[in-house]
Amino acid sequence: MKHTLAVLVENKYGVLTRVAGLFSRRGFNIDSLAVGITEDPTISRMTIVVRGDEHVLEQVTKQLNKLIEVIRVTDLGADESVERELALIKVNTDASNRAEIIQIVDIFRARIIDVASKSVTVEVTGDSNKIKAIQTLLKPFGIKEMARTGKVALTRGSKSS
């Protein structure tokens, strides 16, 4: 089972290394990791997706809370949070298939952010299933490059994580 953790940490040099090292030393695999500053520039939010049962989740949470720079760890349940990923996909194109690619982009409410004579770059945001689906439809045209972020998430409503 996948768990999404929101980890608030002090925005200091080396914190990411210590958190990643903790996972590595304990033999836990990180499926996804996204880090960025919050509304407070002295605090960063790490959104970490880890796979495991409740025991693994409990161990990861306990180990994270032992780190001095960690302010708070929250398990974000799928029903209690809003989650998104971002992908940039550069697709081969020419005059004969450009309209079809544009139609796929429109269906997924994605955007074309760069156009060249032999390629277009598509920006798509959504859950991992949406990213996989558009990737599958664009694959026959030839994906030249793809960059994908990890999952970012916040709790729903007025509650903070």
Side-chain angles (χ1 to χ4, degrees), residues 63-141:
Q63 295 300 319
L64 285 169
N65 280 316
K66 286 182 181 179
L67 295 176
I68 294 169
E69 301 90 354
V70 171
I71 299 165
R72 183 171 58 229
V73 179
T74 307
D75 180 19
L76 300 175
D79 296 338
E80 304 163 352
S81 63
V82 179
E83 304 172 341
R84 293 291 181 265
E85 293 181 34
L86 164 72
L88 299 177
I89 307 169
K90 188 180 291 185
V91 183
N92 292 320
T93 186
D94 55 34
S96 67
N97 63 13
R98 194 176 302 264
E100 190 175 354
I101 291 171
I102 291 170
Q103 186 177 18
I104 291 169
V105 168
D106 287 344
I107 289 169
F108 282 87
R109 286 181 266 147
R111 296 183 329 145
I112 294 177
I113 58 171
D114 186 57
V115 178
S117 60
K118 296 185 179 183
S119 70
V120 295
T121 302
V122 177
E123 172 191 64
V124 59
T125 59
D127 63 21
S128 59
N129 291 332
K130 180 179 178 180
I131 306 289
K132 287 178 193 172
I134 193 169
Q135 181 183 357
T136 300
L137 289 175
L138 293 175
K139 192 173 185 176
F141 299 103

Side-chain angles (χ1 to χ4, degrees), residues 39-50:
E39 65 285 351
D40 179 348
T42 65
I43 298 174
S44 290
R45 175 185 301 274
M46 296 182 172
T47 306
I48 304 171
V49 178
V50 62

Side-chain angles (χ1 to χ4, degrees), residues 25-60:
R25 285 188 308 277
R26 303 287 182 220
F28 300 129
N29 188 40
I30 297 173
D31 282 1
S32 171
L33 173 65
V35 184
I37 62 170
T38 64
E39 65 285 351
D40 179 348
T42 65
I43 298 174
S44 290
R45 175 185 301 274
M46 296 182 172
T47 306
I48 304 171
V49 178
V50 62
R51 191 181 309 258
D53 58 17
E54 293 300 319
H55 177 71
V56 169
L57 177 64
E58 182 182 344
Q59 290 302 309
V60 167

